[in-house]
Amino acid sequence: MAEPIRVVTDSMMGLKLPDYARLSPRVATVLGHNPGPFTGPGTNTYIIGTSNRPILLDTGIGVAKWAELLPIGLKEMANADRPDRIVVTHAHQDHIGGVKDVTRIFGAIEVLKKPWPVAGPDNAAGVPITAIDDHATIGTDGATLQAVFTPGHAPDHLCYYLVEEKAVFTGDVILGAGTTVIPDETGNLGHYMDSLRRLLALDVETIYPAHGPVIRNAKQKIREYIGHRELRERQVLAALKDGPLEVPAIVKKIYTDVPEFLHKAAAMSMRAHLRKLRDEGQVVEDGENWRLK
Ligand SMILES: [Zn+2]
């Protein structure tokens, strides 16, 4: 039977989450308080483990309210005076920006991530990074994390599989609501689709996303994300059937039900699709126009 295919229509707009919360015996969260159309109520900082030596996963963008909440969350949720280590999903500012606050509050703490391919973004941590890669294992009491290389949204992106719960921390690869942005310069939709299929192949039941609420039907959500992009790809190819078009015209044809203020984001998504189709030899870029090959 064919998988149901639909466009992801929920969104981050108006979502509310508590300042901190316990999500399972070994996972709690503190809210980043950096709200926006693509970050929802803010980036989740996860507190992982069953003792007072928890791992911190992602650090928000570093706003004062979050920095105030973090020590309280650590004490309340894990009876911890400080985190044992920090792991980061990727070097976008709203995930790594708070490292300097953690260091200021608690002193030097080891920060682990896969390095960004060129110098620059990792410097936002303000401290040296311990380089890890695909398959790295990071453990603390009651929790074992395995790194899963998942590029596409960002070239350094690692998801982290939590063995004890058959759960995965998906960073920005899968969000609690809405869809992921594939940035023009550093994103790659082909890599992103491969990353989604990699997540689908895991023995996974729960998703802890970087933004928005926990997802308990993990496989269904991953299939929905894959189906969403496959549908968009068919729509792009169909839109070009009658001749060459510029990106804004393609957006207008496909995003008939999306308000104008989201068309800029839609255009970025269309360009990601067109670049993927171009790399696969299905469409040709001709100045501002795109046409079928
Ligand atoms: Zn990101």
Side-chain angles (χ1 to χ4, degrees):
M1 205 180 79
E3 299 293 347
I5 296 204
R6 57 197 167 104
V7 173
V8 176
T9 51
D10 59 359
S11 91
M12 287 286 185
M13 311 283 270
L15 264 181
K16 294 247 188 302
L17 287 176
D19 286 343
Y20 52 88
R22 174 146 295 289
L23 305 173
S24 84
R26 52 179 65 72
V27 180
T29 184
V30 175
L31 184 63
H33 284 281
N34 51 314
F38 301 107
T39 57
T43 311
N44 297 318
T45 291
Y46 288 104
I47 299 169
I48 304 164
T50 53
S51 76
N52 61 356
R53 299 176 48 241
I55 292 171
L56 222 56
L57 188 143
D58 282 350
T59 60
I61 200 165
V63 301
K65 175 112 188 255
W66 169 83
E68 243 168 63
L69 283 170
L70 185 63
I72 303 168
L74 276 165
K75 196 77 200 161
E76 292 263 324
M77 298 287 117
N79 196 27
D81 295 323
R82 70 198 298 270
D84 191 53
R85 269 174 294 174
I86 301 170
V87 298
V88 175
T89 56
H90 63 301
H92 284 166
Q93 195 66 30
D94 60 320
H95 298 256
I96 202 170
V99 168
K100 53 186 183 316
D101 296 288
V102 183
T103 308
R104 174 175 54 77
I105 298 166
F106 302 106
I109 291 170
E110 188 179 25
V111 180
L112 303 94
K113 74 177 288 295
K114 181 178 170 70
W116 192 275
V118 294
D122 288 340
N123 296 341
V127 295
I129 298 285
T130 301
I132 54 168
D133 209 333
D134 198 23
H135 299 302
T137 299
I138 305 114
T140 187
D141 299 319
T144 315
L145 296 172
Q146 292 172 342
V148 186
F149 183 40
T150 40
H153 167 75
D156 62 335
H157 201 294
L158 293 177
C159 293
Y160 296 91
Y161 182 71
L162 175 58
V163 176
E164 288 82 358
E165 290 190 8
K166 295 185 179 179
V168 64
F169 295 89
T170 52
D172 279 355
V173 176
I174 295 192
L175 307 178
T179 58
T180 298
V181 170
I182 308 296
D184 278 332
E185 301 297 328
T186 52
N188 182 305
L189 183 56
H191 294 171
Y192 179 71
M193 295 301 286
D194 291 343
S195 293
L196 289 178
R197 293 192 179 99
R198 202 157 176 218
L199 292 179
L200 188 60
L202 297 172
D203 184 12
V204 59
E205 293 169 359
T206 302
I207 288 173
Y208 294 112
H211 305 274
V214 183
I215 298 157
R216 298 288 177 193
N217 49 355
K219 294 257 177 189
Q220 187 189 317
K221 182 54 119 182
I222 301 167
R223 287 196 190 99
E224 193 179 303
Y225 262 49
I226 293 170
H228 173 86
R229 300 286 177 166
E230 287 175 341
L231 176 58
R232 286 284 186 239
E233 183 166 305
R234 287 198 301 277
Q235 288 174 323
V236 171
L237 290 169
L240 295 177
K241 269 217 174 86
D242 299 326
L245 288 175
E246 295 184 7
V247 169
I250 299 171
V251 169
K252 225 169 178 178
K253 268 197 165 185
I254 295 175
Y255 290 82
T256 49
D257 55 346
V258 169
E260 288 276 336
F261 76 95
L262 284 173
H263 279 196
K264 219 173 128 190
M268 193 187 285
S269 168
M270 286 297 98
R271 289 192 294 274
H273 277 286
L274 290 162
R275 286 195 304 271
K276 172 175 178 284
L277 291 166
R278 178 195 61 199
D279 295 347
E280 294 168 357
Q282 298 199 63
V283 303
V284 176
E285 188 177 6
D286 193 358
E288 293 292 302
N289 275 310
W290 293 83
R291 60 180 166 80
L292 295 180
K293 194 159 184 178

